[in-house]
Amino acid sequence: MPFINRRHAMGQLLSASSLLTAVPLAVDASTARAAESPRPAISVYGRLPDMSEVTLSPDGKRVGFIRNIKGQLVLMDYEITSGKLNFMPIADMKVRDLTWADNDRLLVTSSVTADLVRFIGDKNEYSRAHIVDVKARTSLLLYENLKDYYPIVIGSLGRISINGRPHVTASNVRFGAEVFYSLLAFDTTTGRYTKMDEGKEHVLNWVYKPDGTLIASSEYKQSEKLWRLRYLNTLWTTIYEEVFAEL
C-alpha cells in the first residue's frame, strides 16, 4: 500500500495553488453569471454531514466512518483489501468521537443527557463508550452492570495491551460507602476488566505505557484547591503541586 508524505503532498498542493493564481483567466461577465449557483436553504447549513468521523485501524487494513443516510446514522467498517463493507445502524447515538479499540472493533464515544444521583446538578451531559464489532453487529457498553458505577466514562479513553490482549482504558467514579476515582482497562473481546488504579482523590488524568504500566497522574483536591502531579516509582510520589482557586 503506497504511503504519501504529508509535507510532500502539501508542497505539491501549494505549488499547484500558486500556478493557478499566476495564470490569468479571462472570464466574461456572462460566463461568470452562468457559473453562479443559487444559495442553498438555511436548513442545509445545520444538516449533519453525509460522512464523518473517518478513522484508520491500527494495522491500516480497515477504515471506520459514519454515514448519514436519509437522516439515519450508520456505522461503517470498510475492509480495504477485499473492498467489503460492513455496517450497523446507530440511529439513537449522539456520536462525539470514533476510533478503533483494536484491529477489528471500533470504539464509539457518544453523549447522553441524564440526571444521575450523587452528581452535582440536575440534568447533565455525560459521555458513554461502546466497543462495537460492526461485522458481528455486537456492542459492549463500558461500565455497564458494574456495581457502584454508572455506565459512563469520565476523561479521555486509551488503548493498551495487557499480556498481548488489546484493552481500552476508561475512568469513572465509584459510588460506594465512599467515593473513589477508578481507572479500568476493558478487554476488547470479552469485556472483562482489570483495575489499573483507584483512589479517593479526584484524578484528572493518568499517564501509562502501552503495556498499561502506570507512570504518573494529575489530581485536584477540592477541599484544599490543590492541584498536584504525582509520579509512580514503587510508591506514588508528589513531584509538583500548586494552589488554584478553580480548576
Side-chain angles (χ1 to χ4, degrees):
M1 177 182 174
F3 291 90
I4 299 174
N5 183 286
R6 290 186 179 180
R7 185 174 297 176
H8 174 73
M10 184 61 71
Q12 294 289 345
L13 178 62
L14 291 174
S15 298
S17 303
S18 301
L19 262 173
L20 288 172
T21 306
V23 176
L25 300 178
V27 181
D28 58 31
S30 59
T31 305
R33 281 194 299 271
E36 290 180 357
S37 58
R39 294 182 179 179
I42 294 178
S43 59
V44 173
Y45 296 100
R47 189 174 64 191
L48 291 173
D50 292 337
M51 182 185 295
S52 61
E53 306 294 345
V54 181
T55 179
L56 184 67
S57 64
D59 62 5
K61 295 181 179 180
R62 298 163 81 161
V63 178
F65 58 97
I66 294 174
R67 280 291 312 274
N68 177 14
I69 302 176
K70 296 182 178 179
Q72 300 297 313
L73 295 184
V74 181
L75 185 59
M76 300 288 192
D77 176 1
Y78 176 70
E79 298 177 11
I80 297 173
T81 304
S82 65
K84 187 175 181 180
L85 183 65
N86 300 297
F87 63 91
M88 179 177 173
I90 53 169
D92 60 337
M93 279 192 188
K94 296 178 182 177
V95 179
R96 303 304 183 193
D97 187 55
L98 179 67
T99 187
W100 288 85
D102 55 29
N103 287 319
D104 300 306
R105 297 165 187 82
L106 286 157
L107 180 60
V108 183
T109 303
S110 62
S111 65
V112 61
T113 302
D115 184 1
L116 302 182
V117 178
R118 299 188 73 171
F119 277 95
I120 296 174
D122 295 324
K123 283 192 173 183
N124 294 296
E125 189 169 20
Y126 300 95
S127 293
R128 300 192 300 176
H130 292 79
I131 297 174
V132 181
D133 186 332
V134 178
K135 193 172 183 178
R137 292 207 169 193
T138 59
S139 176
L140 168 69
L141 176 61
L142 301 190
Y143 283 99
E144 186 177 32
N145 299 324
L146 289 189
K147 187 176 184 296
D148 296 330
Y149 291 103
Y150 287 109
I152 62 173
V153 293
I154 298 174
S156 57
L157 304 170
R159 189 172 60 217
I160 62 174
S161 178
I162 300 178
N163 298 325
R165 297 183 63 86
H167 286 66
V168 168
T169 63
S171 58
N172 203 341
V173 179
R174 181 166 69 86
F175 292 106
E178 297 180 88
V179 176
F180 291 90
Y181 294 86
S182 308
L183 176 66
L184 306 186
F186 295 85
D187 187 303
T188 59
T189 303
T190 66
R192 293 176 183 151
Y193 70 88
T194 299
K195 184 178 291 185
M196 297 176 63
D197 193 32
E198 185 173 72
K200 295 181 181 180
E201 300 300 340
H202 183 183
V203 179
L204 303 174
N205 204 0
W206 283 269
V207 179
Y208 41 82
K209 296 179 181 179
D211 65 357
T213 302
L214 289 169
I215 301 173
S217 69
S218 63
E219 299 178 350
Y220 184 64
K221 195 169 185 178
Q222 183 69 37
S223 59
E224 300 176 17
K225 308 297 183 184
L226 179 67
W227 178 88
R228 63 184 180 183
L229 179 63
R230 298 199 305 160
Y231 178 77
L232 181 60
N233 184 12
T234 306
L235 296 175
W236 285 105
T237 303
T238 299
I239 58 176
Y240 181 80
E241 60 182 29
E242 188 171 347
V243 174
F244 289 90
E246 293 293 337
L247 192 64

Coordinates of all heavy atoms in Angstrom, one line a residue, residues 6-87:
R6 N 3.1 13.7 4.1 CA 2.2 14.8 4.2 C 2.9 16.1 3.8 O 2.3 17.0 3.1 CB 1.8 15.0 5.7 CG 0.8 13.9 6.1 CD 0.3 14.2 7.5 NE -0.6 13.1 8.0 CZ -1.2 13.2 9.1 NH1 -1.0 14.2 10.0 NH2 -2.0 12.2 9.5
R7 N 4.2 16.3 4.1 CA 4.9 17.5 3.8 C 5.0 17.6 2.3 O 4.8 18.7 1.7 CB 6.2 17.5 4.5 CG 7.0 18.8 4.2 CD 8.3 18.8 5.1 NE 8.0 18.8 6.5 CZ 9.0 18.7 7.4 NH1 10.2 18.7 7.0 NH2 8.7 18.7 8.7
H8 N 5.3 16.5 1.6 CA 5.5 16.5 0.2 C 4.1 16.8 -0.5 O 4.0 17.6 -1.4 CB 6.0 15.1 -0.3 CG 6.0 15.0 -1.8 ND1 6.9 15.6 -2.6 CD2 5.2 14.3 -2.7 CE1 6.7 15.3 -3.9 NE2 5.7 14.5 -3.9
A9 N 3.1 16.2 0.0 CA 1.7 16.4 -0.6 C 1.3 17.8 -0.4 O 0.8 18.5 -1.3 CB 0.7 15.5 0.1
M10 N 1.6 18.4 0.8 CA 1.2 19.8 1.0 C 2.0 20.8 0.1 O 1.5 21.7 -0.5 CB 1.5 20.2 2.5 CG 1.0 21.6 2.8 SD -0.8 21.8 2.6 CE -1.4 20.9 3.9
G11 N 3.3 20.4 -0.1 CA 4.1 21.2 -1.0 C 3.6 21.2 -2.4 O 3.5 22.2 -3.1
Q12 N 3.2 20.0 -2.9 CA 2.6 19.9 -4.2 C 1.3 20.7 -4.3 O 1.0 21.3 -5.3 CB 2.3 18.4 -4.5 CG 3.6 17.5 -4.6 CD 4.4 17.8 -5.9 OE1 3.9 18.5 -6.8 NE2 5.6 17.4 -5.9
L13 N 0.5 20.6 -3.3 CA -0.8 21.4 -3.3 C -0.5 22.9 -3.4 O -1.2 23.6 -4.1 CB -1.6 21.0 -2.1 CG -2.9 21.7 -1.9 CD1 -3.8 21.4 -3.0 CD2 -3.6 21.3 -0.6
L14 N 0.4 23.4 -2.6 CA 0.7 24.8 -2.6 C 1.3 25.2 -3.9 O 1.0 26.3 -4.4 CB 1.7 25.1 -1.4 CG 1.1 25.0 0.0 CD1 2.2 25.2 1.0 CD2 0.0 25.9 0.2
S15 N 2.1 24.4 -4.5 CA 2.7 24.7 -5.8 C 1.6 24.8 -6.9 O 1.6 25.7 -7.7 CB 3.7 23.6 -6.2 OG 4.8 23.6 -5.3
A16 N 0.6 23.9 -6.8 CA -0.4 23.9 -7.8 C -1.3 25.2 -7.5 O -1.7 25.8 -8.5 CB -1.3 22.7 -7.6
S17 N -1.5 25.5 -6.3 CA -2.3 26.7 -6.0 C -1.6 28.0 -6.5 O -2.3 28.8 -7.1 CB -2.5 26.9 -4.5 OG -3.1 25.7 -3.9
S18 N -0.3 28.0 -6.4 CA 0.4 29.2 -6.9 C 0.3 29.3 -8.4 O 0.2 30.4 -9.0 CB 1.9 29.1 -6.5 OG 2.0 29.0 -5.1
L19 N 0.4 28.2 -9.1 CA 0.3 28.2 -10.5 C -1.0 28.7 -11.0 O -1.1 29.5 -11.9 CB 0.5 26.7 -11.0 CG 1.9 26.4 -11.5 CD1 2.0 24.9 -11.9 CD2 2.2 27.2 -12.8
L20 N -2.1 28.2 -10.3 CA -3.4 28.6 -10.7 C -3.6 30.2 -10.4 O -4.3 30.8 -11.2 CB -4.5 27.9 -9.8 CG -4.7 26.4 -10.2 CD1 -5.6 25.7 -9.2 CD2 -5.2 26.3 -11.6
T21 N -2.9 30.6 -9.4 CA -3.0 32.1 -9.1 C -2.3 32.9 -10.1 O -2.7 34.0 -10.5 CB -2.5 32.4 -7.7 OG1 -3.1 31.5 -6.7 CG2 -2.7 33.8 -7.3
A22 N -1.2 32.3 -10.6 CA -0.3 33.1 -11.5 C -0.8 33.1 -12.9 O -0.5 34.1 -13.7 CB 1.1 32.5 -11.5
V23 N -1.7 32.2 -13.3 CA -2.2 32.1 -14.7 C -3.4 33.0 -14.8 O -4.4 32.9 -14.1 CB -2.6 30.7 -15.1 CG1 -3.2 30.7 -16.5 CG2 -1.4 29.8 -15.0
P24 N -3.4 34.1 -15.7 CA -4.5 35.0 -15.8 C -5.7 34.2 -16.5 O -5.5 33.5 -17.5 CB -3.9 36.1 -16.8 CG -2.8 35.5 -17.5 CD -2.2 34.4 -16.6
L25 N -6.9 34.4 -16.0 CA -8.0 33.8 -16.5 C -9.0 34.9 -17.1 O -9.3 35.8 -16.4 CB -8.8 33.0 -15.4 CG -8.0 31.9 -14.7 CD1 -8.8 31.3 -13.6 CD2 -7.6 30.8 -15.7
A26 N -9.3 34.6 -18.3 CA -10.2 35.6 -19.0 C -11.6 35.0 -18.9 O -12.0 34.1 -19.6 CB -9.8 35.8 -20.5
V27 N -12.5 35.7 -18.1 CA -13.8 35.2 -17.9 C -14.7 36.4 -18.1 O -14.6 37.4 -17.4 CB -14.1 34.6 -16.5 CG1 -15.5 34.2 -16.4 CG2 -13.1 33.5 -16.2
D28 N -15.6 36.3 -19.1 CA -16.5 37.5 -19.3 C -17.7 37.5 -18.3 O -17.9 36.5 -17.7 CB -17.0 37.5 -20.8 CG -17.8 36.3 -21.2 OD1 -18.4 35.7 -20.3 OD2 -17.8 35.9 -22.3
A29 N -18.4 38.5 -18.3 CA -19.5 38.7 -17.3 C -20.6 37.7 -17.4 O -21.1 37.2 -16.5 CB -20.1 40.1 -17.4
S30 N -20.9 37.3 -18.7 CA -22.0 36.4 -18.9 C -21.6 35.0 -18.4 O -22.4 34.2 -17.8 CB -22.3 36.3 -20.4 OG -21.2 35.9 -21.2
T31 N -20.3 34.6 -18.6 CA -19.8 33.3 -18.1 C -19.8 33.3 -16.6 O -20.2 32.3 -16.0 CB -18.4 33.0 -18.6 OG1 -18.4 33.1 -20.1 CG2 -17.9 31.7 -18.2
A32 N -19.4 34.4 -16.0 CA -19.4 34.5 -14.5 C -20.8 34.3 -14.0 O -21.0 33.6 -13.0 CB -18.8 35.8 -14.1
R33 N -21.8 35.0 -14.6 CA -23.2 34.9 -14.2 C -23.7 33.5 -14.3 O -24.4 32.9 -13.4 CB -24.0 35.9 -14.9 CG -23.9 37.3 -14.4 CD -25.1 38.2 -15.0 NE -25.1 38.2 -16.4 CZ -24.4 39.1 -17.2 NH1 -23.7 40.0 -16.5 NH2 -24.4 39.1 -18.5
A34 N -23.3 32.8 -15.4 CA -23.8 31.4 -15.6 C -23.2 30.5 -14.6 O -23.8 29.5 -14.2 CB -23.4 31.0 -17.0
A35 N -22.0 30.8 -14.1 CA -21.3 29.9 -13.2 C -21.9 30.0 -11.8 O -21.7 29.2 -10.9 CB -19.8 30.2 -13.1
E36 N -22.6 31.2 -11.5 CA -23.1 31.4 -10.2 C -24.3 30.4 -9.9 O -25.0 30.1 -10.8 CB -23.7 32.8 -10.1 CG -22.6 33.9 -10.0 CD -23.2 35.3 -9.9 OE1 -24.5 35.4 -9.9 OE2 -22.4 36.2 -9.8
S37 N -24.3 29.9 -8.7 CA -25.4 28.9 -8.4 C -26.2 29.5 -7.3 O -25.7 30.4 -6.5 CB -24.8 27.6 -7.9 OG -23.9 27.8 -6.8
P38 N -27.5 29.2 -7.2 CA -28.4 29.8 -6.1 C -27.9 29.4 -4.8 O -27.3 28.3 -4.6 CB -29.7 29.1 -6.5 CG -29.4 27.9 -7.2 CD -28.2 28.2 -8.0
R39 N -28.1 30.2 -3.8 CA -27.7 29.9 -2.4 C -28.6 28.8 -1.9 O -29.8 28.8 -2.1 CB -27.8 31.2 -1.6 CG -26.8 32.3 -2.0 CD -27.0 33.5 -1.0 NE -26.0 34.5 -1.4 CZ -26.0 35.7 -0.7 NH1 -26.8 35.9 0.3 NH2 -25.1 36.6 -1.1
P40 N -27.9 27.9 -1.1 CA -28.7 26.8 -0.5 C -29.6 27.3 0.6 O -29.4 28.4 1.2 CB -27.7 25.8 0.0 CG -26.5 26.7 0.2 CD -26.5 27.7 -0.9
A41 N -30.6 26.6 0.9 CA -31.5 26.9 2.0 C -30.7 26.9 3.3 O -29.8 26.2 3.5 CB -32.7 25.9 2.1
I42 N -31.2 27.7 4.3 CA -30.5 27.8 5.6 C -30.5 26.4 6.3 O -29.5 26.1 7.0 CB -31.2 28.8 6.5 CG1 -31.1 30.2 5.9 CG2 -30.7 28.7 7.9 CD1 -31.8 31.2 6.7
S43 N -31.5 25.5 6.1 CA -31.5 24.2 6.7 C -30.3 23.4 6.3 O -29.9 22.5 7.1 CB -32.8 23.5 6.3 OG -32.9 23.4 4.9
V44 N -29.8 23.6 5.1 CA -28.6 22.9 4.6 C -27.4 23.0 5.6 O -26.7 22.1 5.8 CB -28.2 23.3 3.2 CG1 -26.9 22.6 2.8 CG2 -29.4 22.9 2.3
Y45 N -27.2 24.3 6.1 CA -26.1 24.5 6.9 C -26.1 23.8 8.3 O -25.1 23.5 8.9 CB -25.9 26.0 7.2 CG -25.7 26.8 5.9 CD1 -26.7 27.5 5.2 CD2 -24.4 26.8 5.4 CE1 -26.4 28.2 4.1 CE2 -24.1 27.6 4.2 CZ -25.1 28.2 3.6 OH -24.9 28.9 2.4
G46 N -27.3 23.5 8.8 CA -27.5 22.8 10.0 C -27.6 21.3 9.9 O -27.7 20.6 10.9
R47 N -27.5 20.8 8.7 CA -27.7 19.4 8.4 C -26.4 18.6 8.8 O -25.3 19.1 8.6 CB -28.1 19.2 6.9 CG -28.5 17.8 6.6 CD -28.9 17.7 5.1 NE -27.8 18.1 4.2 CZ -28.0 18.4 2.9 NH1 -29.2 18.4 2.4 NH2 -26.9 18.6 2.2
L48 N -26.6 17.4 9.2 CA -25.4 16.6 9.5 C -24.7 16.2 8.3 O -25.3 16.0 7.2 CB -25.9 15.3 10.3 CG -26.4 15.4 11.7 CD1 -27.0 14.1 12.2 CD2 -25.3 15.9 12.6
P49 N -23.4 16.1 8.3 CA -22.6 15.7 7.1 C -23.0 14.3 6.6 O -23.3 13.5 7.5 CB -21.2 15.8 7.5 CG -21.2 15.7 9.0 CD -22.5 16.3 9.4
D50 N -22.9 14.0 5.3 CA -23.2 12.7 4.8 C -22.1 11.7 5.3 O -22.5 10.5 5.4 CB -23.2 12.7 3.3 CG -24.4 13.5 2.7 OD1 -25.4 13.6 3.5 OD2 -24.3 14.0 1.6
M51 N -20.9 12.1 5.6 CA -19.9 11.2 6.1 C -19.1 12.0 7.1 O -18.7 13.1 7.0 CB -19.0 10.7 4.9 CG -17.9 9.8 5.4 SD -16.7 9.3 4.1 CE -17.8 8.5 3.0
S52 N -18.7 11.3 8.2 CA -18.0 11.9 9.3 C -17.2 10.9 10.1 O -17.3 9.7 9.9 CB -18.9 12.7 10.3 OG -19.8 11.8 10.9
E53 N -16.3 11.4 11.0 CA -15.5 10.6 11.9 C -14.7 9.5 11.2 O -14.8 8.3 11.7 CB -16.4 10.0 13.0 CG -17.3 11.0 13.7 CD -16.4 12.0 14.6 OE1 -15.3 11.7 14.8 OE2 -17.0 13.0 15.0
V54 N -14.0 9.8 10.1 CA -13.3 8.7 9.4 C -12.0 8.4 10.2 O -11.3 9.3 10.7 CB -12.9 9.2 8.0 CG1 -12.1 8.2 7.3 CG2 -14.1 9.6 7.2
T55 N -11.8 7.1 10.4 CA -10.6 6.6 11.2 C -10.0 5.3 10.7 O -10.8 4.4 10.2 CB -11.1 6.4 12.7 OG1 -9.9 6.0 13.5 CG2 -12.2 5.4 12.8
L56 N -8.7 5.2 10.7 CA -8.0 4.1 10.1 C -7.6 3.1 11.3 O -7.1 3.6 12.3 CB -6.7 4.6 9.4 CG -5.9 3.5 8.7 CD1 -6.7 2.9 7.5 CD2 -4.6 4.1 8.2
S57 N -7.8 1.8 11.1 CA -7.4 0.8 12.1 C -5.9 0.8 12.3 O -5.2 1.2 11.5 CB -7.9 -0.6 11.6 OG -7.2 -1.0 10.5
P58 N -5.5 0.4 13.5 CA -4.1 0.4 13.8 C -3.2 -0.4 12.8 O -2.1 0.1 12.6 CB -4.0 -0.3 15.2 CG -5.4 0.0 15.8 CD -6.3 -0.1 14.7
D59 N -3.7 -1.4 12.2 CA -2.9 -2.2 11.3 C -3.1 -1.6 9.8 O -2.4 -2.1 8.9 CB -3.3 -3.7 11.3 CG -4.7 -4.0 10.9 OD1 -5.4 -3.0 10.5 OD2 -5.2 -5.1 11.0
G60 N -3.9 -0.6 9.7 CA -4.0 0.1 8.4 C -4.8 -0.7 7.4 O -4.9 -0.4 6.2
K61 N -5.6 -1.7 7.8 CA -6.3 -2.6 6.9 C -7.8 -2.2 6.8 O -8.5 -2.7 5.9 CB -6.2 -4.1 7.3 CG -4.7 -4.6 7.2 CD -4.7 -6.0 7.6 CE -3.2 -6.6 7.4 NZ -3.1 -8.0 7.8
R62 N -8.3 -1.4 7.7 CA -9.7 -1.1 7.7 C -10.0 0.4 8.0 O -9.2 1.0 8.6 CB -10.5 -2.0 8.7 CG -10.3 -3.5 8.4 CD -10.7 -4.3 9.6 NE -12.1 -4.5 9.8 CZ -12.6 -5.5 10.5 NH1 -11.8 -6.4 11.1 NH2 -13.9 -5.6 10.6
V63 N -11.1 0.8 7.5 CA -11.5 2.2 7.7 C -12.9 2.2 8.3 O -13.8 1.6 7.8 CB -11.5 3.0 6.4 CG1 -12.0 4.5 6.6 CG2 -10.1 3.0 5.7
G64 N -13.0 3.0 9.4 CA -14.3 3.1 10.0 C -14.8 4.5 9.8 O -14.0 5.5 9.8
F65 N -16.1 4.7 9.6 CA -16.6 6.0 9.5 C -18.1 6.0 9.7 O -18.7 4.9 9.9 CB -16.3 6.6 8.1 CG -16.8 5.7 6.9 CD1 -18.0 6.0 6.3 CD2 -16.0 4.7 6.4 CE1 -18.5 5.2 5.2 CE2 -16.4 3.9 5.4 CZ -17.7 4.2 4.8
I66 N -18.8 7.1 9.7 CA -20.2 7.2 10.0 C -20.9 7.8 8.8 O -20.4 8.8 8.3 CB -20.5 8.0 11.2 CG1 -20.0 7.3 12.5 CG2 -22.0 8.3 11.4 CD1 -20.1 8.0 13.8
R67 N -21.9 7.2 8.3 CA -22.7 7.7 7.1 C -24.0 8.2 7.6 O -24.7 7.6 8.5 CB -22.9 6.6 6.1 CG -21.8 6.3 5.2 CD -21.5 7.5 4.2 NE -22.7 7.9 3.5 CZ -23.2 7.4 2.4 NH1 -22.6 6.4 1.8 NH2 -24.3 7.9 1.8
N68 N -24.5 9.3 7.1 CA -25.8 9.8 7.3 C -26.7 9.5 6.1 O -26.5 10.1 5.1 CB -25.7 11.3 7.6 CG -27.1 12.0 7.8 OD1 -28.1 11.3 8.0 ND2 -27.2 13.3 7.7
I69 N -27.5 8.5 6.3 CA -28.4 8.0 5.2 C -29.8 8.4 5.5 O -30.5 7.8 6.3 CB -28.2 6.5 5.0 CG1 -26.8 6.1 4.8 CG2 -29.1 6.0 3.8 CD1 -26.5 4.6 4.6
K70 N -30.2 9.5 4.8 CA -31.6 10.0 4.9 C -31.9 10.3 6.4 O -33.0 10.0 6.9 CB -32.6 9.0 4.4 CG -32.5 8.8 2.9 CD -33.5 7.9 2.3 CE -33.4 7.7 0.8 NZ -34.4 6.8 0.2
G71 N -30.9 10.9 7.1 CA -31.1 11.3 8.5 C -30.9 10.2 9.5 O -30.9 10.5 10.7
Q72 N -30.5 9.0 9.0 CA -30.2 7.9 10.0 C -28.7 7.7 10.0 O -28.1 7.5 8.9 CB -31.0 6.6 9.5 CG -32.5 6.8 9.5 CD -33.1 7.0 10.8 OE1 -32.7 6.4 11.8 NE2 -34.0 8.0 10.9
L73 N -28.1 7.6 11.2 CA -26.7 7.4 11.3 C -26.4 5.9 11.2 O -27.0 5.1 11.9 CB -26.2 8.0 12.6 CG -26.2 9.5 12.8 CD1 -25.6 9.9 14.1 CD2 -25.6 10.2 11.6
V74 N -25.4 5.6 10.4 CA -25.0 4.2 10.2 C -23.5 4.1 10.4 O -22.7 4.8 9.8 CB -25.4 3.6 8.8 CG1 -24.9 2.2 8.7 CG2 -26.9 3.8 8.6
L75 N -23.0 3.1 11.2 CA -21.6 2.9 11.5 C -21.0 2.0 10.4 O -21.6 0.9 10.2 CB -21.4 2.3 12.9 CG -19.9 2.1 13.3 CD1 -19.2 3.4 13.4 CD2 -19.9 1.5 14.7
M76 N -20.0 2.4 9.7 CA -19.4 1.6 8.6 C -18.0 1.1 8.9 O -17.2 1.8 9.6 CB -19.3 2.5 7.3 CG -20.7 3.1 6.9 SD -21.7 1.8 6.1 CE -23.0 2.8 5.3
D77 N -17.8 -0.1 8.5 CA -16.5 -0.7 8.6 C -16.0 -1.3 7.3 O -16.6 -2.3 6.8 CB -16.6 -1.9 9.6 CG -15.3 -2.7 9.8 OD1 -14.3 -2.3 9.1 OD2 -15.3 -3.6 10.6
Y78 N -15.1 -0.6 6.6 CA -14.7 -0.9 5.3 C -13.3 -1.6 5.3 O -12.3 -1.1 5.8 CB -14.6 0.4 4.4 CG -14.0 0.1 3.0 CD1 -14.8 -0.5 2.1 CD2 -12.8 0.6 2.6 CE1 -14.3 -0.7 0.8 CE2 -12.3 0.4 1.4 CZ -13.1 -0.3 0.4 OH -12.6 -0.5 -0.8
E79 N -13.3 -2.8 4.7 CA -12.1 -3.6 4.6 C -11.4 -3.3 3.3 O -11.9 -3.5 2.2 CB -12.4 -5.1 4.6 CG -13.1 -5.6 5.9 CD -13.5 -7.0 5.9 OE1 -13.0 -7.8 5.0 OE2 -14.2 -7.4 6.8
I80 N -10.2 -2.6 3.4 CA -9.5 -2.0 2.3 C -9.1 -3.1 1.2 O -9.3 -2.9 0.0 CB -8.3 -1.2 2.7 CG1 -8.7 -0.1 3.6 CG2 -7.5 -0.7 1.5 CD1 -7.5 0.7 4.3
T81 N -8.5 -4.2 1.6 CA -8.1 -5.2 0.7 C -9.2 -5.9 -0.1 O -9.2 -6.0 -1.3 CB -7.2 -6.3 1.4 OG1 -6.2 -5.6 2.1 CG2 -6.6 -7.3 0.4
S82 N -10.2 -6.3 0.6 CA -11.3 -7.1 0.0 C -12.4 -6.1 -0.6 O -13.2 -6.5 -1.5 CB -12.0 -8.0 1.0 OG -12.6 -7.3 2.0
G83 N -12.4 -4.9 -0.1 CA -13.5 -4.0 -0.5 C -14.8 -4.3 0.1 O -15.8 -3.7 -0.3
K84 N -14.8 -5.1 1.1 CA -16.1 -5.5 1.8 C -16.5 -4.4 2.7 O -15.7 -3.8 3.5 CB -16.0 -6.8 2.5 CG -17.3 -7.3 3.1 CD -17.1 -8.7 3.7 CE -18.4 -9.2 4.3 NZ -18.3 -10.6 4.9
L85 N -17.8 -4.1 2.8 CA -18.3 -3.0 3.6 C -19.3 -3.6 4.6 O -20.3 -4.2 4.2 CB -18.9 -1.9 2.8 CG -19.5 -0.7 3.5 CD1 -18.3 0.1 4.2 CD2 -20.2 0.2 2.6
N86 N -19.0 -3.5 5.9 CA -20.0 -4.0 6.9 C -20.6 -2.7 7.5 O -19.9 -1.7 7.6 CB -19.3 -4.8 8.0 CG -18.6 -6.0 7.4 OD1 -19.2 -6.9 6.9 ND2 -17.3 -6.1 7.5
F87 N -21.8 -2.8 8.0 CA -22.5 -1.6 8.5 C -23.4 -2.0 9.7 O -23.9 -3.2 9.8 CB -23.3 -0.9 7.4 CG -24.4 -1.7 6.8 CD1 -25.7 -1.6 7.4 CD2 -24.2 -2.5 5.7 CE1 -26.7 -2.3 6.8 CE2 -25.2 -3.2 5.2 CZ -26.5 -3.2 5.7

